[in-house]
Amino acid sequence: MILLPAESVPGTGAVLNPFVIVDDASGFLDFVSEVFGVPETLEARTPAPDGKLIHAQLRLGTVDLMVADRLDGWPARPALLQVWVNDVAATLARGVANGATIVTEATPFYAETTLGRMLDRWDNLWWFWAPAPGRPDPLPAWEGGPDVVFSTLDETLKALAKR
């Protein structure tokens, strides 16, 4: 096996942990903390002498979301992040209350799940999933079902590419 087994990862880290580079890392940390109700891992906060963060993180479930400020000459590196939540609609509402825009409203999806997406003000695209036991799968778009899951993603990514 190429990957280190999860039980061998030092500390409480996961095998894969996303890292985003944004402008205003402190604001981004506040946003994530508010939307998901998780605190920043304060002992990980590492500011440079100018106050910009070269490392910070929050723990979402078993994964550390790591963040840094974009430094001179660095490009921003927003992310596509998938998060399992208890209530997609409520999570989207918390995101909107903290400055995000909805990309895909809470929508029935396959395998008894609900899907929703939002774009935060740092251009990170968040996918939210929640279990929906017992709910039948929607009809596929090619069989006359809704195309909202693909079309909203397609429209958003094409709009971002034009910026």
Side-chain angles (χ1 to χ4, degrees), residues 95-153:
V96 168
N98 284 281
T101 57
I102 293 176
V103 171
T104 309
E105 293 284 351
T107 304
F109 199 67
Y110 301 97
E112 299 180 339
T113 60
T114 298
L115 162 76
R117 298 186 192 102
M118 73 178 183
L119 187 68
D120 66 29
R121 59 185 185 266
W122 297 270
D123 287 341
N124 296 292
L125 185 58
W126 297 83
W127 263 261
F128 300 125
W129 298 92
R135 191 185 55 224
D137 288 347
L139 257 164
W142 55 88
E143 291 181 17
D147 185 33
V148 67
V149 170
F150 176 76
S151 64
T152 56
L153 176 65

Side-chain angles (χ1 to χ4, degrees), residues 10-159:
T12 59
V15 174
L16 174 67
N17 294 286
F19 202 122
V20 297
I21 298 172
V22 297
D23 291 321
D24 185 22
S26 288
F28 179 76
L29 291 161
D30 290 344
F31 171 83
V32 174
S33 181
E34 286 293 320
V35 171
F36 297 104
V38 297
E40 179 183 346
T41 307
L42 293 177
E43 60 271 16
R45 183 177 269 251
T46 310
D50 65 0
K52 287 190 176 185
L53 292 175
I54 57 173
H55 182 90
Q57 64 192 50
L58 307 104
R59 187 134 184 106
L60 286 88
T62 59
V63 173
D64 292 316
L65 174 57
M66 297 177 286
V67 182
D69 275 306
R70 183 170 64 94
L71 302 180
D72 292 337
W74 290 12
R77 286 287 167 219
L80 305 175
L81 301 160
Q82 176 183 350
V83 182
W84 283 90
V85 298
N86 288 315
D87 184 329
V88 171
T91 305
L92 289 170
R94 289 174 68 109
V96 168
N98 284 281
T101 57
I102 293 176
V103 171
T104 309
E105 293 284 351
T107 304
F109 199 67
Y110 301 97
E112 299 180 339
T113 60
T114 298
L115 162 76
R117 298 186 192 102
M118 73 178 183
L119 187 68
D120 66 29
R121 59 185 185 266
W122 297 270
D123 287 341
N124 296 292
L125 185 58
W126 297 83
W127 263 261
F128 300 125
W129 298 92
R135 191 185 55 224
D137 288 347
L139 257 164
W142 55 88
E143 291 181 17
D147 185 33
V148 67
V149 170
F150 176 76
S151 64
T152 56
L153 176 65
D154 186 53
E155 291 165 11
T156 299
L157 290 175
K158 285 179 177 175

